[in-house]
Structures are given as structure tokens and as C-alpha cells.
Amino acid sequence: MNSSMRQRPVVVALLATTMIAGLPAAPAMAQNAAAPAAPVAATLPAAQGTIRSIVVNGTQRLEPDTVLSYTKLRIGQPYSQESLDQALRDLYETELFADVQIRNDNGALTVELKENPVINRIVLEGNKRLKEDKIRPEIKLAPRQIYTRSKVRADVARIVELYRRQGRFAATIEPKMVQLDQNRVDIVFEISEGPKSKVRQINIIGNEKFKDGNLRSQMVTKQSRWFRLFSSGTSYDPDRLAYDQQKLRQFYLTEGYADFRVISAVAELTPDKQDFIITYVVEEGDRYKFGDVKVESDIRDLSGDSLTKRLPMKKGDWYNAKQVEDTVDTLSETAGLFGYAFADVSPDFNRDKEALTMGINFRIANAPRVYVERVDINGNTLTQDKVVRREFRLAEGDAFNSFLVKRSKDRINSLGYFQEKLDVEQKPGSAPDRIVLETNVQEKSTGELSLSAGFSSLERFIVSASITQRNFRGKGQELRTSVNYSAYSKSVEVGFTEPYFMDKNIALGGDIYRRDLNSFRYLNNNDRDTTYEQTTTGFQIRAGVPITEYISLALRYSLNFDDVTLDKDTYYSDTDGDGDTECDPLLAGRYLCDAIGKRTTSSVGYSLIYDTRDNRIRPTRGQNVTLNQDFAGLGGDVKYVRTRLSAAKYVPLGGGFIFSLTGEGGYIHSLEGDRRDASGELVDAVRLTDRFFLGNPQIRGFDIRGIGPRVVRRYYTTTSDNGTFTGVESTGSSNRTDDALGGKIYYLARAEIEIPLGSGAREMGLRPSIFADVGAVGGLKSPGLVNKTGSFAGYCYDSESVLATVKAGGTAKNPTCAVGYETVSGGFQESYLGDTLKPRLAVGFGVNWNSPFGPFRIDVAKALLKEPGDDTKLINFNVGTQF
């Protein structure tokens, strides 16, 4: 409220407080200064005669002649008490006057009036749950209009109804008037919103076959409970009450109760006006079975006998109305497959109340075969017509096919350029055998500018910036550029994809990138430190062509320049005493020393894709199978064959639940033959940077790279007594390191159910799920350890600070150590663990949230099956990155 409202010369309550408590009480005028007295015609006794003169006093904005035009009083005409009373009523009905009196002096009439004020402004107070931009459109009063009580009443009723639609039935609206100079007023609506009215209890009377809980589960309206915090179904909504009656009827009809009906449905507001109690009275009736079921077809291409054999219901099965509806849809689609778009399928019911059977005759009426006259596309303001038309599986002149129409709709949805509520309407054409396919699209933003910072359990602190346009210039092209920075990785990438090169069904694209990765190892399971640094600079060229409607082939060529380094101050030493430092296996491990170096990888690959998903972005049904193979060795220093196979299946379970089952596996085979490290020892032919790694986020419940082969180094305290050394495990903060080595073969499977929430949670972008993950990685050649399993290696400093390496073994003599007892840290034992393909299993639940701060994902998973060396983690989360 601004300063002009703080000083109110006169504040008058306009209407009595209006409370919506389940009853449509009409707002009543309060007795106040603004309310006029009852009409008074004159202070003289009743009279009659001829009007000699009429004088109008008190007008400010209106002319006297205008005032008189609202009455039937005219000079020279006779008058009576009744005509004067009627003139009063006529003036009040104009709602232009706050007070009117008519005085009569033997035919000399004086009209004393007070005009209604002019509205200066409309003010809302107390509205927190509903913002002004939601309430203002409901208010018909406006500045510079004449104030009238009826308009105030109407506005109060509309605001109250608006709150009622939001579930706030305890809301009260008190309008007040602030009187200003020059007969102006401010209208103030003081709003007390009150809490949302919840559904405390749902009672069902008359049900004998099904329990109350079973019937409540069919309803959209839910009882208010603490575990339904994010559900919008716990708020009372009269429209939802009628919908729930339909849901109850549908449920009983699917169970065979064809005579079921809802006798009454009553919603009662509790005395505290906080909650509702809903009571349904139902009559279940008898349960029916299917009688004789058959199909009769008047279309020559459709055989009634053949279709009858394929009906899902059989005589003697329990009657199911939903099954009947689905059968009608299936028969209509079947007719559409043969080009009969307007085939009329109607079920004729034959009810036998004595035998309790329901016979059904599905009749397919004759219809002409239909051809596509034209395809209309509406609503695409940015996207070019050809971008949508090329996704249609039907063209002008083609025979109509309902399956191809649905397939066209799925392909358009998968573009991601339009809102999901896209439909292809089938309208009659210019002739009975012509049809018009009208596609009404609503474009959504396809450009993304992302500037985000976040924290994740994978990369710790993250800063990213990206610009992506998935519908560049309205041609369906994709242009993207991104910069990412975190504690363990940095990258810059630019990419472009043309899905229809030269207007041919050939996709062509390319990427240029620079990626810096700081690999890490674990210290005592929690902390990390950096091991090798990998810098990759390269590019990739891609091309894709469809083979069939559901099968496509993608080809690619990549050229990468890799440089893998280790920190010289940490992992290098002068091992041979020549003054030159080199990677020291005692400090880094032989597996890391083997990984360093510069190399060029030139590879060519392909992907064979089978995809029937209804939406590639957020699928709800269908399947996807992809075979990837890459051949490195077309020049360069690295030679291998990498093969991956992945598959996914999506099944809608009903009620918004979506079940997905995904699996993948891979194998990499080196074409370089045997490789040896600097010491001449035989090592695995596949380099560390080319292997598969597994852990979070692929298998939740485990840490990043927490599964598979690894070298665990445990540090020991070495003690010397007259040159004899023994080892005791160190208790310091860095007594253990864990280096994941990856593997040459892996497999991974995941079963997940996405759980639907109420509309309120969906608007917030919440998508919870439960899941089970299983997988493993391994198949490496055992790496060369610095010492044998169970032995000790250590350092000893003598009095002249000369470094001496103790021989491998539990004890050893070292003549350079000073005689006497001293303790020196530095011994360690290396173990090779985790190289097994036995399955690791984790189960848990997670939530995706499109938060204002960026995408958020949290998973809580428990590892049920694990192997020695695996690193588990109960909770993982990401904020500010895409997942």
C-alpha cells in the first residue's frame, strides 16, 4: 500500500463479510455512511395535481435534464404520490446516486440528490496465495467508473469463486471504501484467504463387493494425509466430485456390475470450515458375464468371422465395459488400416437379467475407402512447413492408414519442437472418399541458454555455460556450443547437425571439442586426489540414413589427439641415478606409468538402430535396440575394435506409471598384440584410457568408478631394530589409495518404474522412481604390482638422509640404516581386486526435479550384491548439470 493510502479521511465498510462455507450466501450491504436511506418522496402529505416546475439540486457531473430523463416527471403533467415514488425508484435503479429525495410544494418539485462517487483506484490487500494478475481480471470495477454497490457485490462474488476454485472455501472478502476529495473514492478489497479446504474423509455406503480402500483408490480425490504432501488431489473440488462418480461407475463396469449406479454424493463442510467430508451412497447390482459375442461387418475387406475369432472376450468371461470400449477402438483402427477412416463401429447390447449375461454384437457399418486429400499444418510460426511434413508417413493422394497417422504423430512429437498435446485431426474432405489431416501444433522454446553453477557427488563444484538451438532458423537444424568447468573436468565443444541434408533423408553433422580430464583415485574411501591428466583435442563427422521406418544406420569418423601426463613432483623420481627423472612405479604404480604418453586415435564406426519409441525425449512405450562398433587403427597409434549393444523397453502400466527395462554390454579388443611397460613386463593390450568404467551414475548405490578391477595400496609403518624391518598398517589419514583400472568387458541392466504425482507436483517438475541396477566390468590381465601380495616395501632414511629402498618381503636387512630402533613411514602393500564378472546389485529410489536452480537428481540406493574392493555409496545427487 502506498503512502496515499496510509491517511484515510473516512473508511466505510461496503459489504458485510462474505463467507463461503459450502452455501452460496449472497453478500449483504452493511449499514454504513454510504448506504442510502429508504426512498422518501416528500415531507408533505400525499397530494396530486399538475407539475408547475422541477428543480434538480446536488448534481456535479450530470446535467439536470439528464437526471430528469431517467424519470417520467414532466412540467405540465399531472402527478400523484405513486408517480413520485416511481420516480424515486427509477433514479435509484440507475445506480448513479447515493441519496435521492423529492420535495413537493404544490406542484413545485425539488429533486435533492447526491451522486455516487467516481472510483479513483482499486486496491487488493491480504492476497498472498493468489497474485494480483490472477484476481484483477475478475474485477469489473475500474478507475474513473461510477461506483455502484451491485458491481461491488458482483466483484466480491467473482473473487470468492476464484478462491473456491483454488480450494479455499474459508476465504472471506470485505470491501471497503476510502472517501477522497472531489467525490472520489478508493475501493479496497480486504482478503482473508484462509487455508485450503482439504478432504478429511471419504465415506462410501452400500458397497458390499469391494472394500472402501479399493474404491477410494479409483478416485482422483484423495483423503488428506501427511504422505500426500505434494498431491493436489486432497483439495476439495466440486468438478472433481462429479468426475469421481464417473470413475466409480467405470470401475464397477469393468468388474461386470452393469447395473451399478451412484445414488447420491454429498460434500459437507466441517464446522471449523477447514475440511470436507464426502459421502457416496451406491447401489452395486448384480454381476454379469459375457454372452454371445460376435462381429458383423458390412465392409467387404473385413471378415466378420475372422474378426470374431480375434476378439479378446469370450462367452462366459466376466463382463468388462472397458474391454468393450477398447475393442471398438481396435476394430476402428483395423478398418483404418484398410483405408476406411470413417468406419462406424457400434456395439449392440443384449442384456439377459435372468441369466445375468451380456451379449454383444459389434456392427461395422459400410463406409467408402478414404484417400488423403491434403495435409494442413497450423500453428507453426517459426518452424517451416517442410520440417513437419517430412515427418508425415502419409502424403496427399495416399490411401488413408490409421497406423501411419499415429506413427506420424509420434515422429512429430519426437522432434521436441512442439507442446506434447499434439493431435492430428481427421476431417471430412470435399468428397465422401476424401479426408483432410489437420495438424494443430503449438510451438515451444527450442533455444536454450544455460548458465549454471552447482555441486554434484561426481564432479564436486560445477560451472557450465551452453547455448543450444534445436530448431535453428526453423529448419530443424541443431546448433550447440558449451563450456564446462569442474574440479575434475573441463571441456569446450561446438556441434552442428543437419537432419535432412539437401532435403534428402540423410542426417549430417559434426563436432569439434577440447576435453581436459583429471582422473582421480580414492583415499580412505572418502577423499580423492588427482592421478593422471588426459587432454583430448579432436573432431567427429557423423552421417545417418534410414533403412526402414524403424531401422536406421549412422556412420562416424573421429580423430583424437590425446596427451596423458602425471604430476612430476608427485610421481617422478631419479630411479637409475643418472640425474633424469621418470615415472616411478613405487610412487605411481606400474599401471599409471604405462598410461602416460601422447597418442593419436583415428577411428571409424557405425551404429545400427532399431527404434519404435513413441517419443525419443520422454518415451512411455516402445523399444530401442542399438548396436555400436568402432574400429581404431585407420592411421594413428591406437588399434582396437570396440563393440557395444544396448536395448530398452518402455511399457505404460496404467495410471501414469511407466515401466522401463534397459540393458547394455560392451567389449573392446586390442589389435596391437602384446604390449610391455618400461620394465619389460607384459601388460594388458588395451590402454587404461580406452577401457570401460562402471559405477555411479550407471549403477546407483556404488561410487564413481566404484565397480570392477582396481589396485588398492595400503600403507604401512616400517620399524627398524638393528636393520631388521617389520610392517604395521598405518593409521594415518592417507593410509590407503584406490585406483580403478576399468575393464575390457562389461554388462549393465536396469529396471525402473516412474511414479506419477498430482498436477501440482508435475508442475514443479518432480518425477520420482524406484529402480534396481545390476552390472559388472572386468576381463583385464592382472597388472604388474610393485610388490607381491602380502609383502612389504618401504623407505628408510639413514643419518645422512640417503634414500634406501627396502627389499620386497616381510623383513629385510639394510646396512645403510643407523643401528638402533627407529620408525619410518612409507611401506605399502598392493592388492589387485574386483576383476570378476559376478553381478553387483543395488536397489533404491530417486527423484528428478526441474528446480529453479537447474535440473536436480537425487538417488538413494543400497548395494545388495558386491565384491571385495567395490566402493559403495548410499546417496548421490547432482545439481546444475543435465542428466
Side-chain angles (χ1 to χ4, degrees):
M1 181 83 51
N2 59 31
S3 59
S4 65
M5 290 300 297
R6 293 172 186 158
Q7 297 180 349
R8 298 177 178 175
V10 181
V11 179
V12 182
L14 296 180
L15 303 178
T17 300
T18 303
M19 302 184 67
I20 300 300
L23 297 176
M29 290 298 297
Q31 295 296 325
N32 52 65
V40 177
T43 58
L44 300 177
Q48 59 182 8
T50 302
I51 300 175
R52 295 185 292 110
S53 65
I54 303 176
V55 177
V56 179
N57 295 328
T59 58
Q60 293 180 331
R61 298 180 304 275
L62 299 175
E63 294 293 333
D65 291 342
T66 304
V67 175
L68 292 177
S69 68
Y70 297 132
T71 71
K72 297 180 180 179
L73 301 177
R74 300 291 183 270
I75 296 175
Q77 292 184 355
Y79 72 93
S80 64
Q81 185 66 42
E82 289 77 11
S83 64
L84 296 181
D85 291 341
Q86 182 61 45
L88 274 177
R89 287 191 291 269
D90 291 340
L91 290 174
Y92 272 116
E93 285 177 358
T94 65
E95 296 188 331
L96 297 175
F97 309 104
D99 186 28
V100 180
Q101 292 186 7
I102 299 178
R103 302 186 183 278
N104 177 18
D105 184 9
N106 295 323
L109 303 182
T110 302
V111 181
E112 300 284 349
L113 53 83
K114 181 181 179 181
E115 293 182 0
N116 272 334
V118 174
I119 298 173
N120 179 55
R121 61 174 177 164
I122 308 295
V123 180
L124 300 176
E125 291 183 352
N127 56 307
K128 297 179 180 179
R129 300 295 181 180
L130 281 179
K131 301 304 180 183
E132 289 203 14
D133 60 345
K134 300 292 184 182
I135 301 178
R136 289 282 181 185
E138 302 295 327
I139 299 176
K140 303 307 178 185
L141 287 173
R144 295 185 297 278
Q145 286 186 357
I146 303 299
Y147 158 77
T148 65
R149 289 176 296 159
S150 62
K151 290 182 179 178
V152 173
R153 288 195 191 99
D155 285 344
V156 168
R158 279 189 289 267
I159 297 174
V160 166
E161 179 61 26
L162 185 62
Y163 274 98
R164 179 187 292 186
R165 292 199 297 267
Q166 298 293 323
R168 298 184 183 277
F169 285 79
T172 62
I173 315 295
E174 184 176 353
K176 292 185 177 180
M177 181 172 65
V178 181
Q179 295 179 346
L180 306 175
D181 56 359
Q182 299 179 354
N183 200 22
R184 296 176 301 119
V185 293
D186 286 343
I187 305 300
V188 181
F189 292 99
E190 292 186 353
I191 301 173
S192 174
E193 296 179 315
K196 257 193 173 183
S197 300
K198 301 290 186 179
V199 177
R200 181 182 299 178
Q201 185 71 30
I202 300 177
N203 300 319
I204 305 174
I205 301 174
N207 55 309
E208 298 177 356
K209 306 299 182 181
F210 299 97
K211 296 181 179 179
D212 288 3
N214 291 342
L215 299 181
R216 291 192 194 107
S217 66
Q218 305 300 318
M219 302 177 186
V220 177
T221 304
K222 303 297 181 183
Q223 297 179 133
S224 178
R225 299 294 184 265
W226 66 268
F227 53 84
R228 296 194 177 106
L229 178 64
F230 296 107
S231 174
S232 61
T234 58
S235 299
Y236 173 71
D237 186 339
D239 295 333
R240 195 182 295 144
L241 188 67
Y243 180 69
D244 285 337
Q245 295 180 56
Q246 295 298 322
K247 294 285 289 183
L248 280 176
R249 176 165 174 77
Q250 290 175 7
F251 172 73
Y252 270 94
L253 288 177
T254 58
E255 296 295 331
Y257 295 88
D259 297 328
F260 171 83
R261 65 191 184 102
V262 178
I263 298 176
S264 66
V266 179
E268 299 175 289
L269 192 61
T270 56
D272 60 4
K273 299 181 177 64
Q274 300 293 318
D275 299 317
F276 277 87
I277 297 176
I278 301 175
T279 303
Y280 294 94
V281 180
V282 302
E283 182 180 306
E284 293 178 321
D286 296 320
R287 193 178 187 187
Y288 284 75
K289 290 185 176 182
F290 280 111
D292 293 327
V293 183
K294 63 179 180 178
V295 178
E296 292 183 0
S297 174
D298 296 334
I299 299 177
R300 63 179 184 179
D301 293 332
L302 299 177
S303 170
D305 293 339
S306 178
L307 293 175
T308 299
K309 296 177 182 179
R310 291 178 172 82
L311 291 176
M313 69 284 289
K314 303 298 179 184
K315 185 177 182 179
D317 294 345
W318 289 113
Y319 173 71
N320 187 328
K322 180 66 167 57
Q323 201 171 44
V324 175
E325 292 179 6
D326 293 342
T327 301
V328 171
D329 294 338
T330 301
L331 292 174
S332 297
E333 291 178 1
T334 302
L337 290 175
F338 288 88
Y340 300 95
F342 303 114
D344 181 27
V345 181
S346 58
D348 295 333
F349 296 91
N350 182 19
R351 180 182 308 192
D352 188 337
K353 292 188 176 182
E354 295 183 359
L356 297 180
T357 60
M358 185 75 72
I360 303 177
N361 180 21
F362 294 96
R363 185 178 299 278
I364 305 177
N366 195 15
R369 195 169 188 180
V370 177
Y371 297 86
V372 178
E373 181 175 344
R374 68 177 187 274
V375 177
D376 293 340
I377 301 171
N378 304 321
N380 53 319
T381 56
L382 172 65
T383 307
Q384 297 182 7
D385 267 21
K386 68 176 184 180
V387 174
V388 182
R389 289 183 181 277
R390 65 196 183 194
E391 301 301 327
F392 264 92
R393 304 297 93 182
L394 288 169
E396 285 84 350
D398 289 350
F400 176 82
N401 188 304
S402 58
F403 175 78
L404 295 181
V405 172
K406 183 180 182 302
R407 177 60 180 166
S408 302
K409 176 182 174 182
D410 291 343
R411 288 179 64 92
I412 296 172
N413 269 326
S414 294
L415 292 174
Y417 305 157
F418 311 108
Q419 301 291 346
E420 293 183 1
K421 294 182 179 180
L422 180 146
D423 195 18
V424 180
E425 297 184 22
Q426 304 169 19
K427 295 187 174 182
S430 59
D433 62 344
R434 295 290 183 268
I435 189 173
V436 175
L437 301 179
E438 184 175 287
T439 306
N440 297 304
V441 300
Q442 183 180 352
E443 291 187 321
K444 65 180 181 181
S445 176
T446 56
E448 299 173 3
L449 172 60
S450 174
L451 300 173
S452 62
F455 186 87
S456 80
S457 54
L458 174 62
E459 297 185 87
R460 305 295 169 87
F461 186 73
I462 304 166
V463 177
S464 65
S466 65
I467 300 176
T468 303
Q469 176 52 262
R470 293 180 289 107
N471 189 13
F472 185 55
R473 299 187 298 167
K475 296 183 176 182
Q477 301 165 336
E478 181 176 343
L479 178 65
R480 62 188 179 277
T481 179
S482 63
V483 178
N484 295 280
Y485 179 90
S486 72
Y488 292 97
S489 66
K490 308 172 189 64
S491 67
V492 178
E493 184 170 347
V494 177
F496 177 79
T497 302
E498 168 57 73
Y500 279 77
F501 181 65
M502 302 292 290
D503 288 331
K504 304 295 183 182
N505 202 355
I506 300 174
L508 188 65
D511 302 282
I512 302 175
Y513 45 81
R514 167 66 181 263
R515 303 174 184 135
D516 294 345
L517 169 66
N518 295 337
S519 187
F520 56 85
R521 63 183 176 185
Y522 290 102
L523 303 175
N524 300 328
N525 295 325
N526 296 319
D527 299 327
R528 309 178 196 171
D529 70 348
T530 300
T531 53
Y532 65 86
E533 299 179 5
Q534 180 180 3
T535 299
T536 302
T537 304
F539 68 88
Q540 184 181 81
I541 299 175
R542 309 180 309 275
V545 293
I547 299 176
T548 68
E549 177 64 24
Y550 299 105
I551 300 176
S552 59
L553 175 66
L555 305 174
R556 58 186 169 271
Y557 171 76
S558 301
L559 182 62
N560 294 327
F561 302 94
D562 294 305
D563 186 9
V564 181
T565 60
L566 289 170
D567 183 65
K568 292 186 177 182
D569 294 335
T570 305
Y571 299 108
Y572 278 54
S573 67
D574 184 7
T575 56
D576 52 10
D578 61 357
D580 295 329
T581 60
E582 57 186 18
C583 183
D584 189 344
L586 289 175
L587 300 176
R590 290 179 177 172
Y591 44 89
L592 288 182
C593 291
D594 173 61
I596 62 175
K598 296 182 179 181
R599 58 186 64 95
T600 300
T601 304
S602 176
S603 65
V604 62
Y606 72 91
S607 296
L608 191 61
I609 305 165
Y610 173 73
D611 193 350
T612 64
R613 294 174 296 175
D614 60 344
N615 192 313
R616 288 190 293 268
I617 300 174
R618 286 197 60 186
T620 60
R621 57 167 47 87
Q623 55 192 358
N624 171 257
V625 181
T626 303
L627 172 64
N628 295 295
Q629 269 197 320
D630 291 281
F631 302 87
L634 197 66
D637 309 314
V638 181
K639 297 178 176 62
Y640 62 74
V641 177
R642 179 191 285 125
T643 304
R644 289 185 180 183
L645 179 65
S646 63
K649 176 75 173 179
Y650 300 88
V651 179
L653 302 179
F657 290 88
I658 300 173
F659 173 73
S660 62
L661 182 64
T662 61
E664 63 178 279
Y667 179 73
I668 183 170
H669 175 70
S670 176
L671 302 177
E672 300 181 34
D674 294 338
R675 287 193 315 111
R676 298 182 181 273
D677 60 14
S679 65
E681 186 169 342
L682 195 65
V683 296
D684 200 287
V686 178
R687 290 178 174 82
L688 177 67
T689 54
D690 295 325
R691 298 170 187 165
F692 301 114
F693 290 87
L694 211 56
N696 184 61
Q698 298 96 337
I699 297 185
R700 293 157 288 192
F702 293 86
D703 216 330
I704 302 97
R705 299 185 177 183
I707 294 176
R710 61 213 330 72
V711 171
V712 176
R713 177 179 287 190
R714 294 180 174 87
Y715 286 86
Y716 288 80
T717 296
T718 307
T719 61
S720 170
D721 187 5
N722 295 324
T724 301
F725 290 83
T726 59
V728 179
E729 187 168 0
S730 172
T731 59
S733 60
S734 301
N735 67 317
R736 182 180 185 272
T737 62
D738 184 340
D739 285 297
L741 303 186
K744 294 192 297 184
I745 186 172
Y746 83 100
Y747 66 88
L748 170 66
R750 173 181 300 166
E752 188 162 4
I753 297 178
E754 185 175 317
I755 302 172
L757 295 178
S759 59
R762 286 198 301 270
E763 291 175 0
M764 294 173 59
L766 289 172
R767 291 185 290 116
S769 63
I770 57 175
F771 56 81
D773 297 344
V774 62
V777 61
L780 281 186
K781 176 180 175 59
S782 179
L785 303 177
V786 173
N787 58 290
K788 296 181 180 179
T789 303
S791 63
F792 302 95
Y795 303 110
C796 177
Y797 295 88
D798 64 8
S799 58
E800 298 179 356
S801 300
V802 178
L803 177 64
T805 302
V806 182
K807 293 181 180 179
T811 61
K813 294 285 187 178
N814 192 334
T816 63
C817 287
V819 178
Y821 183 87
E822 60 181 350
T823 301
V824 184
S825 297
F828 59 82
Q829 177 187 10
E830 286 187 343
S831 302
Y832 181 55
L833 304 172
D835 192 0
T836 174
L837 293 179
K838 291 182 179 179
R840 278 73 154 183
L841 173 65
V843 297
F845 64 91
V847 178
N848 279 327
W849 177 31
N850 294 328
S851 73
F853 313 102
F856 177 88
R857 172 79 191 190
I858 184 169
D859 291 302
V860 179
K862 174 67 175 177
L864 301 182
L865 296 177
K866 59 182 181 179
E867 294 296 322
D870 291 345
D871 298 322
T872 61
K873 195 166 188 178
L874 180 64
I875 300 175
N876 287 283
F877 64 91
N878 289 275
V879 180
T881 56
Q882 298 293 328
F883 44 81

